[in-house]
Amino acid sequence: MYKLFIRPFLFLFDPEAVHHFVFRFLKICFKIPGVNNVVAMFHNVNDPQLSVNIMGLQFKNRVGLAAGFDKDAKLYDELSTFGFGFIEIGTVTPKPQSGNEKPRMFRLPKDKALINRMGFNNDGADAAAVRLRKRNSKIIIGGNIGKNKNTPNENAISDYEYGFNALLDVVDYFVVNVSSPNTPGLRALQEKEPLTALLQHLQNLNEQKKSPKPILLKIAPDLTNEQLDEIVDIVKQTKLSGIIASNTTISREGLQSEGNLKKETGGLSGLPLKSRSTEVIGYLRKRTGKELVIIGSGGIFTAEDAQEKINAGADLVQVYTGFIYEGPGIVANICKGLIK
């Protein structure tokens, strides 16, 4: 029903406008008594075979919602009823910011892809923390943190520290985002010296806490093997829990969509990213053995796609673009396929 009727209608309108409309619609619907139970009944697959313990956290299944969908932690309780094993909010920054100029999100239906250049538009870390303190569901929440656009890279550590402290008591794990292509200069933080300094600082803060939280690094898919080797060494040195592979790509190789769409700047997500993200996961697993947790993200639309990531070495997987193209039944379909 979603792909036959709902998606074609929604795809008639601007992607970002549709996103906000869907959020408002779901907020209203879930205020009706019993709606959450009905939605959960049709979208949750509760099977002990799916449950896994990763990073000391018990996930009811391996399928999560990637950062970027619920940036400001406004809909995580409602989204949890669609069967996700975990939800990652953010990317949040210390100060609220409006992000880049609109339009800044584009659909590429021929490629089952999206291009976005949102630019970390969010209400700020403090606002997200306030909403997360009202959590009603038991869903595992990840907090994806970044820096404000106007913060120079030499002061980036203070921004990440702010986000870490703001969310410490309300998330179950952290993700350090230095790999978005939509904040000028951000990817330069993936270089050895600034990255080591940033991750070591956050880990030092973490180790001082009564209940330290797992910290993961989200990386770009556009890194060379030599850069991946360096990332692995840094993550091991700073004793992070793991890596998320991967963020969006700046590559436009092999796209079937019209030229004007392909020329839009921003990060590409969806099916064209599938092979590269799986390749990165496999490379990282060979380099790390079982030492680090790997969360696979990029081009997951089906159970076969998810299993491919898991076979390559992913402990958990995340969907975003697949959720938009496949609809709310994607998690149940993946979970049923993983059981088989």
Side-chain angles (χ1 to χ4, degrees), residues 130-144:
V130 168
R131 296 187 184 108
L132 287 168
R133 288 191 182 95
K134 300 175 183 177
R135 194 191 318 188
N136 293 316
S137 64
K138 295 180 181 179
I139 189 77
I140 290 173
I141 298 288
N144 189 305

Side-chain angles (χ1 to χ4, degrees), residues 123-195:
D123 295 340
D126 292 326
V130 168
R131 296 187 184 108
L132 287 168
R133 288 191 182 95
K134 300 175 183 177
R135 194 191 318 188
N136 293 316
S137 64
K138 295 180 181 179
I139 189 77
I140 290 173
I141 298 288
N144 189 305
I145 55 177
K147 79 172 187 72
N148 282 110
K149 181 178 181 179
N150 294 331
T151 301
N153 279 4
E154 55 265 30
N155 297 333
I157 286 178
S158 62
D159 272 21
Y160 286 91
E161 178 178 341
Y162 192 101
F164 176 82
N165 287 328
L167 298 180
L168 180 66
D169 297 329
V170 291
V171 300
D172 300 295
Y173 70 89
F174 280 98
V175 178
V176 179
N177 187 354
V178 292
S179 53
S180 170
N182 302 317
T183 296
L186 184 72
R187 285 190 170 190
L189 292 176
Q190 292 181 122
E191 298 297 327
K192 184 176 182 178
E193 283 191 26
L195 185 60

Side-chain angles (χ1 to χ4, degrees), residues 59-210:
F59 295 81
K60 71 175 185 178
N61 63 60
R62 297 178 188 265
V63 187
L65 181 61
F69 196 87
D70 190 13
K71 287 178 179 287
D72 286 306
K74 290 181 176 178
L75 205 69
Y76 59 90
D77 276 334
E78 292 84 352
L79 288 167
S80 71
T81 63
F82 290 105
F84 290 104
F86 60 108
I87 291 173
E88 196 171 301
I89 65 99
T91 298
V92 298
T93 55
K95 298 175 183 177
Q97 60 181 27
S98 58
N100 295 323
E101 290 185 9
K102 299 178 182 180
R104 52 193 182 183
M105 180 176 281
F106 309 88
R107 300 186 196 93
L108 288 73
K110 288 182 180 179
D111 296 292
K112 288 190 175 181
L114 296 172
I115 291 175
N116 93 81
R117 51 172 180 264
M118 303 300 287
F120 290 172
N121 57 306
N122 73 108
D123 295 340
D126 292 326
V130 168
R131 296 187 184 108
L132 287 168
R133 288 191 182 95
K134 300 175 183 177
R135 194 191 318 188
N136 293 316
S137 64
K138 295 180 181 179
I139 189 77
I140 290 173
I141 298 288
N144 189 305
I145 55 177
K147 79 172 187 72
N148 282 110
K149 181 178 181 179
N150 294 331
T151 301
N153 279 4
E154 55 265 30
N155 297 333
I157 286 178
S158 62
D159 272 21
Y160 286 91
E161 178 178 341
Y162 192 101
F164 176 82
N165 287 328
L167 298 180
L168 180 66
D169 297 329
V170 291
V171 300
D172 300 295
Y173 70 89
F174 280 98
V175 178
V176 179
N177 187 354
V178 292
S179 53
S180 170
N182 302 317
T183 296
L186 184 72
R187 285 190 170 190
L189 292 176
Q190 292 181 122
E191 298 297 327
K192 184 176 182 178
E193 283 191 26
L195 185 60
T196 303
L198 170 61
L199 298 182
Q200 191 61 66
H201 182 78
L202 291 176
Q203 193 63 284
N204 289 344
L205 286 175
N206 196 33
E207 289 171 353
Q208 293 169 18
K209 304 301 179 183
K210 193 173 182 179

